Amino acid sequence: MCPPDSGPPAAQPAALDGGWGWVVVLCSFMALLLGYGSPQSLGILYPEWLLTFREGKAMTAWVGSLVAGGGLIVGPVCSVCVVNFGARPVAVFSGVMVAGGFMLSAFAPNVSFLIFSYGIVVGVGNGLLYAAVVVIVCLYFDKKRGVALGIIQTGTSVGGVLYSVLQGELIQLFGVDGCLLVVGALALNVVAFAGLMRPLTPSKYYLQQHAAVSGRAAEEPSNQKPSAKDLVIAMETKELPVTCSASIKIKTRRYCQCLFSMLSVLQDRVLMALCVSLLLYCLGQFPPQLFLEDLARSSGLTDGVSSMSLVSLNSIGSSVGKLALGIIADLPQVNSVLLYALTVGVSGLGVLLIPLSRSYLDLQVLSVVLGFMAGNWTLTPYVTSQVVGTEKLAEAHGMLMFFGGVGLMLGPPVVGCFYDFTQSYDIAFCLSGGCLIVGCLTLFLAAILPRRENTRPPPLLPLHETELMSCTVTIATDAASQV
C-alpha cells in the first residue's frame, strides 16, 4: 500500500496534539461506538439466532467471526482507500454501509443471508471506519497519541456496554428483527460525525485531479481561462487511446510499487512477530468473548442469577483497559512492545482458567480481566508507529489488521466445531489459551533479542519516477498532447 506521505516531506504536516484534534477524537469515539456497539455485544444476538434459525453453533458463529475479522482482513484495502480518498469520505461511506448492513439483516431468512448482511457488509464497513479514524487521529497527535487512541478505542467498548443492554431491551419489545432496524437507524449517525473529521492534508485523488487541471490550464493561452468543466471534458476526451495506454502502464507500475512497499514492512522482525502474535491473540481471545454467555447458560450457572451480563462486564473491562493502557504506553520508561506481549500472556492465563470456573462469579471476574486485557487494541497502532514510524503507519497497520482479521474469522468457527463434536467448551478454551501463550512468547523473544538499527529497505523506484506516478492524469494528458 502506498504510504500517505509519499510526496515531499513538506507535504506531511506536523502533529498538532490538540485544538481541532480533540473534536476529531470525540467524533471518532462516537463513530466507533455506533458502528461497533452491536458487533461488540454480539453475545446477546447469538443465542437468539440459534433459536430462530436452528443451525449449529459453528455455522451461526460465522456471523460473529466475519463481522469481527472480515473488516480487518481487508485492512490493507481499507487503508488504501483512506490514503487515496481521505479519511472523511471513507468514514461517511462506511456509516452508510454499516447502517445498511444492520437493516438488511433484519430481513434475513436464514443464517447464510445473515453471514453476508451482518458478517460481510457490516464487517467491511467497520473495517473502513476503523482505518479512517486510526489514521486521522495519528496524524493529529504525536506526544499524546496513546491517550488519543485510547479514547477512541474506548468507543467500541462503551458501545458494547450500552448495546448489550439496549439490544436486550429491544429484543424484548420488537424482537430481533426490530432490534436490528433500530440499531441500523442509530448507525446512520456515523455520517454526521464523519463530516467533522477535517483532514490535515488533501487526498491523493484530489492532488491528482488538481495536478491534471493545472497541467491542462498551463497549455491554454494566457488570455483564455477555461472553466473547470471544460478541463474535465478535455481530459476525458482528448486522445483517448494514447491516454488510456499511458494511464494503464503508469497505474500498473504504481500498483507494483504499492505491493512491494506493503510487503517490505514485514522485513522488520518485531513487526512480523507482532503480526504473528496478533493472529494467535485474535484466534484465542475472541471465542471466549462470543461463547462465554452461552457457556454460562448451557452449564446452568445463570439459574437464579439476575446480575449484569458477561458481555457487559467484558465491555466495561475493555473500556477501562483501552484508556489505561493508552495512558501507560505514553510513559517514557514503558516499552510498548513488551507491554503488549504482557497483555497477551495474561489473557492466555485467563482463558485457561475458564474451564476451571464453577460459578457465575468466577466467569464474571474472568470476563472483566479478559476485557481489560482486550484493551491492548489501543496499543496496536501505537506499537506499529513506534516500530516502523508514522511514514509507514498506514501500510504496516493494514498488514497487521489482516493478520488479526484472519484470527478473528477462524477462532469462533473452530471453537464451535469443537463444541459440536464434544458438546463441551473445555478443550476449545484450552486450545485458545495455548494460542495466546505462544503469541506472547513469540513477541517477547522478538522484542528482547538484538535488532538491527536500520531495517527499512530503500525505495524500490527512484524518487522522480515515484513523483511521476503520483500524477497519473497529468502524465497521460502530456503524452496525449505530444502526439
Side-chain angles (χ1 to χ4, degrees), residues 15-30:
L16 303 180
D17 283 310
W20 191 259
W22 292 116
V23 177
V24 174
V25 168
L26 176 61
C27 294
S28 301
F29 172 89
M30 291 302 302

Side-chain angles (χ1 to χ4, degrees), residues 159-368:
V161 175
L162 297 178
Y163 273 72
S164 62
V165 178
L166 176 64
Q167 290 187 148
E169 295 296 329
L170 291 175
I171 290 173
Q172 294 293 328
L173 294 174
F174 309 112
V176 67
D177 296 340
C179 170
L180 290 172
L181 287 175
V182 175
V183 169
L186 292 174
L188 281 175
N189 290 283
V190 172
V191 176
F193 289 108
L196 298 176
M197 297 178 186
R198 187 173 65 198
L200 288 174
T201 57
S203 64
K204 282 190 174 182
Y205 178 79
Y206 172 83
L207 292 176
Q208 291 171 4
Q209 298 303 313
H210 179 72
V213 173
S214 300
R216 176 61 181 161
E219 296 177 1
E220 297 292 334
S222 58
N223 57 350
Q224 296 181 3
K225 202 168 189 180
S227 64
K229 182 178 179 181
D230 295 334
L231 293 176
V232 173
I233 295 175
M235 285 187 293
E236 292 178 347
T237 59
K238 186 175 181 180
E239 299 293 342
L240 183 59
V242 179
T243 300
C244 291
S245 175
S247 178
I248 291 173
K249 291 181 180 179
I250 295 168
K251 287 183 177 180
T252 301
R253 298 183 65 190
R254 181 184 176 189
Y255 293 150
C256 291
Q257 172 74 20
C258 291
L259 178 61
F260 285 116
S261 179
M262 183 191 307
L263 295 177
S264 67
V265 299
L266 295 180
Q267 296 180 10
D268 188 287
R269 186 188 66 216
V270 177
L271 182 65
M272 189 63 204
L274 184 62
C275 291
V276 174
S277 178
L278 184 62
L279 169 66
L280 295 173
Y281 175 77
C282 294
L283 187 66
Q285 186 270 344
F286 184 61
Q289 179 182 340
L290 180 63
F291 292 108
L292 208 55
E293 194 72 42
D294 185 61
L295 168 65
R297 293 184 183 182
S298 60
S299 302
L301 299 179
T302 58
D303 297 340
V305 177
S306 58
S307 57
M308 189 174 295
S309 67
L310 299 177
V311 176
S312 299
L313 291 173
N314 185 273
S315 298
I316 292 174
S318 180
S319 301
V320 178
K322 287 175 180 177
L323 187 58
L325 292 174
I327 295 174
I328 294 173
D330 275 336
L331 299 178
Q333 63 270 26
V334 173
N335 186 317
S336 58
V337 179
L338 296 180
L339 177 62
Y340 183 87
L342 177 64
T343 61
V344 176
V346 174
S347 297
L349 295 176
V351 173
L352 290 174
L353 291 175
I354 291 178
L356 303 178
S357 302
R358 293 295 178 264
S359 67
Y360 195 72
L361 179 60
D362 295 340
L363 294 181
Q364 287 178 317
V365 173
L366 290 176
S367 294
V368 175

Side-chain angles (χ1 to χ4, degrees), residues 58-222:
M59 180 66 176
T60 310
W62 275 106
V63 181
S65 64
L66 283 175
V67 73
L72 298 184
I73 286 180
V74 297
V77 179
C78 296
S79 296
V80 167
C81 294
V82 173
V83 169
N84 284 277
F85 299 106
R88 179 160 55 183
V90 171
V92 169
F93 177 78
S94 69
V96 177
M97 192 172 181
V98 170
F102 285 142
M103 294 181 180
L104 195 61
S105 300
F107 304 96
N110 48 52
V111 173
S112 299
F113 188 90
L114 201 62
I115 288 174
F116 166 75
S117 61
Y118 197 101
I120 297 179
V121 177
V122 176
V124 174
N126 277 330
L128 290 169
L129 178 62
Y130 183 76
V133 299
V134 165
V135 170
I136 195 170
V137 168
C138 286
L139 290 177
Y140 266 97
F141 290 88
D142 182 19
K143 295 180 181 179
K144 301 177 182 178
R145 184 176 297 159
V147 176
L149 289 172
I151 293 174
I152 68 167
Q153 295 274 8
T154 304
T156 61
S157 301
V158 173
V161 175
L162 297 178
Y163 273 72
S164 62
V165 178
L166 176 64
Q167 290 187 148
E169 295 296 329
L170 291 175
I171 290 173
Q172 294 293 328
L173 294 174
F174 309 112
V176 67
D177 296 340
C179 170
L180 290 172
L181 287 175
V182 175
V183 169
L186 292 174
L188 281 175
N189 290 283
V190 172
V191 176
F193 289 108
L196 298 176
M197 297 178 186
R198 187 173 65 198
L200 288 174
T201 57
S203 64
K204 282 190 174 182
Y205 178 79
Y206 172 83
L207 292 176
Q208 291 171 4
Q209 298 303 313
H210 179 72
V213 173
S214 300
R216 176 61 181 161
E219 296 177 1
E220 297 292 334
S222 58

